[in-house]
Amino acid sequence: MAVTTQRLDVERLRTDFAVFDELVNGKPVAYLDSAASTQKPRQVLDAMREFYEHSYANVHRGVYTLAERATAGYEGAREKVRAFVNAPSNREVIFTRSATEALNLVAYAWGLDNLGPGDVVVVTELEHHANFVPWQFVAKKTGAEFAHIPIDDLGELRLDALDGIAKRGNVKVVANNLVSNTLGTINPVEKLAAWAHEQGAVMVVDAAQAAPHRPIDVQALGCDFLAFSSHKLCGPTGAGALWGRRELLEDMQPFNLGGEMIRSVALDRTTWNELPYKFEAGTPAIAEAYGFGCALDYVSAVGLDAIEAHEHELVVGTMDALAEIPGVRVFGPPADRRTGIVSFDLEGVHPHDVAQILNWEGVAVRAGHHCTQPLMTRLGVAATTRASFYLYSLPEDVDRLVAGLRKVKETFGP
Ligand SMILES: Cc1ncc(COP(=O)(O)O)c(C=O)c1O
């Protein structure tokens, strides 16, 4: 096939992932659902097991050796997150359960106290529900207006709409994903952050789909908050991170209450711990945060630039191959303005049927609205079929996707 990938030694990387020895319906799995969650290398799994077996206790509170080891592992992971996104300080890095929880934290802890009638909350038409619904909810609660930046027919943000949005009131927050999970569009976050700051607004970046696939630098992006998840970059579920500008985090009230986020409690008054603990209530996901750090080491050692280049070649090959299949409509921008995600429709066949037949062939893709229902409305479909790649994806996976789609067409007739 036309796709060649040179920079990553994918065959070698795949030996880190036991899942690729699995047979699905008698066939090796072509895992094309990494945008939903990635597979886990044994380096991360072994490190977590080792941590649980030799360094596990609750963090921060104990003075004994195991607690100190656990705390060092947990805080070491925080430093790895800081370095991964080039944040100025690890006090600005908060561990959460997921990107969703990180975005809810900002919407509640910042939004409820800073928004009101006359203010405008701006999201985009291609936002994941995790960065859409919390803002819609908080806007309703506070009386702020809820506006969105529309997209054009290629799935790119229409920045010409910004002036009109600014006229609707005081723009106080702009919340946008850096990469769309449905279309793969790489969004112009730096421009949006500059515009947000001109309006006196804060810029909230959902990097759940960007951080696994391209280098992230919060200072270069010029944003105020940035959220991402461990499980989309080879780490465990149950761990995510929020980076926020220190002065904003200092001014915010806590999101959850109890445990480590408290400094002192009296019958009439409670005071909060310092950053980042103010936002980490209860026992955190200790081993998962540790595993998150190990996953950051893993993807960093592979190299974000190499991962991005590898996915780009796969996307080019996929888009070229899909263009040859009559009845396939690919959504979103050209390959050079997207990451490793290709969403498409096969005329006359529901995406769930497409995904089911592909599964018979051992090809795992996602079918559905991908938690982007406003985007589905804009595209005029209820669902799409989505293939998404990662550092372990092979050109042969693309071949098998394409062969599977030909089978789907045979099954459903001309
Ligand atoms: C763009 C985007 N934002 C947010 C999320 C939510 O991430 P999580 O489920 O890890 O909270 C996802 C997950 O698919 C996503 O793709």
Side-chain angles (χ1 to χ4, degrees):
M1 86 153 286
V3 180
T4 51
T5 53
Q6 283 142 9
R7 291 173 226 196
L8 292 188
D9 186 350
V10 180
E11 290 293 356
R12 189 187 60 74
L13 289 173
R14 284 168 73 88
T15 63
D16 295 338
F17 295 81
V19 70
F20 295 123
D21 297 333
E22 286 294 306
L23 295 183
V24 170
N25 296 321
K27 300 176 177 109
V29 65
Y31 185 73
L32 297 179
D33 197 20
S34 292
S37 202
T38 57
Q39 297 297 333
K40 318 301 173 201
R42 74 184 146 67
Q43 286 85 341
V44 171
L45 302 174
D46 290 351
M48 287 179 72
R49 184 185 179 91
E50 172 93 8
F51 183 81
Y52 266 128
E53 287 180 347
H54 301 288
S55 302
Y56 184 74
N58 211 330
V59 284
H60 301 132
R61 295 161 216 180
V63 291
Y64 51 89
T65 302
L66 281 181
E68 281 169 1
R69 279 192 209 152
T71 303
Y74 182 73
E75 291 302 328
R78 194 189 307 281
E79 169 55 24
K80 289 177 185 180
V81 173
R82 184 209 65 72
F84 192 75
V85 298
N86 194 30
S89 160
N90 53 20
R91 288 198 177 272
E92 300 175 328
V93 174
I94 295 154
F95 280 123
T96 61
R97 276 190 308 124
S98 58
T100 301
E101 189 180 62
L103 294 164
N104 273 269
L105 191 164
V106 183
Y108 277 84
W110 183 88
L112 285 178
D113 285 341
N114 287 283
L115 296 170
D119 294 337
V120 186
V121 174
V122 184
V123 298
T124 77
E125 204 170 16
L126 43 59
E127 223 50 43
H128 187 282
H129 294 164
N131 200 28
F132 188 102
V133 178
W135 293 112
Q136 189 182 48
F137 182 80
V138 167
K140 277 218 170 82
K141 258 200 155 3
T142 56
E145 199 179 330
F146 184 64
H148 72 267
I149 306 171
I151 55 167
D152 64 20
D153 290 341
L154 284 181
E156 302 203 66
L157 293 177
R158 284 194 37 210
L159 300 186
D160 59 319
L162 294 179
D163 286 347
I165 290 172
K167 293 197 181 103
R168 288 165 67 173
N170 304 317
V171 176
K172 281 284 190 67
V173 57
V174 179
N176 177 213
N177 57 46
L178 182 45
V179 167
S180 156
N181 62 304
T182 300
L183 302 179
T185 319
I186 301 166
N187 291 307
V189 160
E190 292 94 333
K191 277 192 195 150
L192 282 174
W195 180 77
H197 292 151
E198 272 165 37
Q199 314 301 310
V202 297
M203 180 76 208
V204 181
V205 177
D206 171 0
Q209 255 352 300
H213 307 281
R214 53 203 326 255
I216 300 283
D217 180 334
V218 292
Q219 302 186 59
L221 286 173
C223 57
D224 299 292
F225 296 98
L226 181 134
F228 67 112
S229 283
S230 149
H231 71 96
K232 292 191 197 284
L233 44 70
C234 293
T237 52
L242 173 70
W243 168 78
R245 246 181 236 289
R246 187 173 187 149
E247 50 288 11
L248 293 168
L249 294 172
E250 297 276 13
D251 277 353
M252 283 157 56
Q253 293 297 312
F255 176 46
N256 288 315
L257 306 172
E260 193 58 30
M261 53 75 60
I262 285 161
R263 171 166 293 146
S264 71
V265 183
L267 286 178
D268 60 344
R269 178 163 186 268
T270 299
T271 59
W272 316 134
N273 203 344
E274 61 191 6
L275 290 176
Y277 311 113
K278 182 170 93 173
F279 293 106
E280 293 182 4
T283 299
I286 303 165
E288 288 72 15
Y290 177 74
F292 185 2
C294 298
L296 294 177
D297 288 343
Y298 183 85
V299 296
S300 301
V302 173
L304 270 299
D305 288 324
I307 293 172
E308 192 178 10
H310 171 67
E311 290 181 11
H312 177 71
E313 292 191 30
L314 293 171
V315 162
V316 168
T318 307
M319 290 176 75
D320 287 352
L322 293 184
E324 308 268 296
I325 305 179
V328 170
R329 174 181 167 210
V330 173
F331 300 102
D336 61 344
R337 294 205 292 283
R338 65 164 80 200
T339 59
I341 291 175
V342 182
S343 266
F344 58 92
D345 181 54
L346 181 55
E347 196 182 1
V349 190
H350 193 282
H352 286 150
D353 293 329
V354 174
Q356 191 158 7
I357 294 177
L358 289 175
N359 182 51
W360 296 341
E361 301 303 315
V363 179
V365 294
R366 183 140 301 237
H369 55 61
H370 319 296
C371 294
T372 52
Q373 287 185 24
L375 175 59
M376 293 295 116
T377 305
R378 170 65 174 83
L379 299 176
V381 293
T384 72
T385 305
R386 181 185 71 184
S388 55
F389 306 110
Y390 206 31
L391 53 92
Y392 40 65
S393 305
L394 289 167
E396 290 74 20
D397 296 339
V398 177
D399 288 339
R400 291 177 58 197
L401 168 70
V402 171
L405 288 173
R406 296 203 185 276
K407 282 224 162 104
V408 176
K409 278 183 73 83
E410 276 162 35
T411 310
F412 282 84

